[in-house]
Amino acid sequence: MGWLFVFLAAVSEMVGVVGLKLYSQNKTIRNGSIYIGGLGAAFAFLYASFNYLQVSIAYSVWIGMGTAGAVLLNMVFFGESKNAARIVSLIAIVIGVTGLKSLS
Amino acid sequence: MMNKSWIYVILTCLFELIWVFGFNTAETWWHWGLVIVFILFDFYTLPKACEAIPTGTVYAIFAGVGTVGTAIMDVFLFEGDFSVGKVLFMALLIAGIIGLKLADNKEVDKNMKGVA
């Protein structure tokens, strides 16, 4: 059950970041709701998962999946740069974030 | 335009650190009021940064700075412990953020040359 909440939290975060992208391009209420609603739901699901899992584990898995997913979605659907330096840097950030959270 | 957007990236990260700190320390109603004000500032500056810089870049930096910031706060303000592992992951993360900034600059140069 806890892992289901973590998974839902990561998916909500990706939705929120797509909303963020859309809202930055076009400031409509719909796009703003996807942005705020997605990130808000991500926090709510993450918080729910704390009832079942250790906080540092749930947090590190969520943030790793969510950040990597958000970046990938932007590359695939919004044509953001796929140059090697950028991909290596993003991998370093995701590993750093996940590792640091798992130790905290 | 590019440089002005980086100011928004810095602001959004700064606001994030302030409200995360607030979350850990807020006690009275006006503390929580301030936390909410900073969250609103944060949600305003985040899409501003994404207007001229790729959203993937902005979001990764946002998540990265938040993580490093909370880890450092944990050690210095809330008496958590520092370990070699934490320092290594922090270094890797910061290297990634700098690399991302450099990679995006290179991309802009290339586009500029394409135009000229």
Side-chain angles (χ1 to χ4, degrees):
Chain A
M1 194 64 183
W3 290 111
L4 177 69
F5 281 131
V6 172
F7 176 75
L8 290 173
V11 171
S12 308
E13 187 186 13
M14 292 176 213
V15 171
V17 175
V18 168
L20 169 62
K21 172 87 186 179
L22 295 172
Y23 184 72
S24 74
Q25 290 170 334
N26 194 355
K27 299 213 171 21
T28 62
I29 291 177
R30 190 194 69 127
N31 292 343
S33 312
I34 299 173
Y35 160 42
I36 304 287
L39 292 183
F43 278 110
F45 282 128
L46 183 67
Y47 198 74
S49 79
F50 292 166
N51 291 326
Y52 306 88
L53 300 168
Q54 209 185 312
V55 171
S56 64
I57 293 174
Y59 206 119
S60 53
V61 172
W62 166 71
I63 202 159
M65 278 172 66
T67 310
V71 168
L72 282 175
L73 279 177
N74 275 297
M75 282 185 184
V76 174
F77 293 107
F78 297 101
E80 287 190 356
S81 160
K82 298 183 190 67
N83 78 53
R86 187 163 190 263
I87 292 174
V88 170
S89 304
L90 289 166
I91 292 172
I93 293 178
V94 171
I95 295 174
V97 165
T98 310
L100 200 52
K101 277 293 174 201
S102 69
L103 294 179
S104 295
Chain B
M1 190 61 205
M2 194 76 175
N3 280 328
K4 203 177 142 216
S5 295
W6 279 99
I7 294 175
Y8 281 117
V9 175
I10 293 167
L11 281 177
T12 197
C13 292
L14 196 66
F15 292 145
E16 182 193 16
L17 294 176
I18 295 172
W19 69 255
V20 169
F21 173 76
F23 244 77
N24 287 313
T25 52
E27 277 165 2
T28 62
W29 65 269
W30 66 269
H31 289 167
W32 284 108
L34 273 178
V35 168
I36 290 169
V37 168
F38 277 103
I39 290 178
L40 292 177
F41 281 153
D42 202 20
F43 275 23
Y44 171 76
T45 45
L46 188 57
K48 281 298 219 189
C50 296
E51 284 175 8
I53 299 174
T55 303
T57 296
V58 174
Y59 196 73
I61 291 176
F62 179 77
V65 170
T67 306
V68 171
T70 41
I72 291 175
M73 273 186 231
D74 201 41
V75 171
F76 289 102
L77 301 176
F78 307 112
E79 289 159 0
D81 50 335
F82 234 140
S83 64
V84 179
K86 278 190 192 174
V87 175
L88 286 179
F89 282 126
M90 244 182 240
L92 184 67
L93 211 170
I94 292 166
I97 293 176
I98 295 170
L100 208 48
K101 168 89 170 78
L102 296 176
D104 282 348
N105 282 355
K106 226 164 81 188
E107 197 74 8
V108 170
D109 288 347
K110 219 168 66 194
N111 292 344
M112 294 285 215
K113 272 173 204 145
V115 172

